[in-house]
Structures are given as C-alpha cells and as structure tokens.
Amino acid sequence: EWPAHWRVSFWGDVGDMPRNVLLFLPAGYFFRLSLAREQRCAVPLALAFGTCLSALVEAAQLFLPARGCSLADVIANGTGAGAGAVLCAAVR
C-alpha cells in the first residue's frame, strides 16, 4: 500500500515551472561545459542528465513529510538542463 505521507501528483504547482527551469539551467550549462567541445549529442545528454538528476531529487522528496513530488517538476527541470546546454553551445 502507498504510504499516507507520500504526496505524488502529475502537475503539482504549475506556477513553479519557470523557477524549476531556471534552477536547472546551470546544471545543463556546466554539464555541457564538462564535455569535449566536439561532443556529439551534447544537448540530449544534458537533457537526460537533468531529467535523471531531477528524478532523484523528486524521489528524495518522497521521504520528507512537508514536501511532495510531481512529474511536471521533473519535466521542467530536464527542460532547464537542456536549455542550459543550448546556452553553453551558443556562448562557446
């Protein structure tokens, strides 16, 4: 049975989405920066890295009674990491 204190939703607080995107921009930027300049598929790798990192953060929030997790946060965070990688490529 699902523990009573676990709060999982699909959308969560949609107003947090811009903040979640901005929060993961540096993660994608520095992930892309850590790869070789000629690395192929760097943006999809950064997107996957950000999504996995976000899923781990959201899973950890399951064990905090005052927090909840949502799939929308994972999507927004992954999008932010991908945007950070694109920004890094543009700056380079």
Side-chain angles (χ1 to χ4, degrees):
E1 184 170 312
W2 199 264
H5 69 277
W6 282 12
R7 292 188 349 223
V8 179
S9 67
F10 179 74
W11 286 112
D13 186 9
V14 180
D16 284 343
M17 288 186 90
R19 286 182 286 221
N20 286 335
V21 170
L22 289 174
L23 179 69
F24 269 70
L25 271 173
Y29 186 91
F30 289 118
F31 180 80
R32 172 65 183 102
L33 202 58
S34 71
L35 298 175
R37 187 176 287 261
E38 62 277 349
Q39 173 71 37
R40 297 181 69 172
C41 304
V43 174
L45 282 173
L47 186 66
F49 168 75
T51 302
C52 290
L53 182 62
S54 177
L56 287 171
V57 169
E58 294 294 318
Q61 287 182 5
L62 282 174
F63 301 101
L64 300 173
R67 301 296 306 241
C69 64
S70 72
L71 182 59
D73 289 348
V74 174
I75 292 169
N77 293 341
T79 302
V86 169
L87 180 66
C88 180
V91 168
R92 276 186 162 182

